[in-house]
Amino acid sequence: MTTTDILIIGVIIFLIAGALWKILKDKKKGAGCSGCTGCPMSGQCNVPLEEKG
């Protein structure tokens, strides 16, 4: 492995770790998913319980 290969692998690992951290942080906050175009709950999954009625 060359230094370039190690740097590329490091960047990829950093990006994946950052994405996972963001997903877990949002999930802990109770944020809904994004991109729910085909979901029957789209527009409702991220609404607080008080607003759902």
Side-chain angles (χ1 to χ4, degrees), residues 22-47:
K22 172 93 168 95
I23 290 168
L24 292 173
K25 188 176 95 170
D26 288 348
K27 189 167 193 85
K28 192 180 277 189
K29 283 182 182 178
C33 63
S34 61
C36 300
T37 305
C39 179
M41 292 294 292
S42 66
Q44 297 177 357
C45 62
N46 201 16
V47 178

Side-chain angles (χ1 to χ4, degrees), residues 4-26:
T4 306
D5 293 337
I6 294 171
L7 286 174
I8 291 172
I9 291 170
V11 168
I12 291 170
I13 290 172
F14 177 76
L15 291 173
I16 291 171
L20 288 174
W21 177 74
K22 172 93 168 95
I23 290 168
L24 292 173
K25 188 176 95 170
D26 288 348

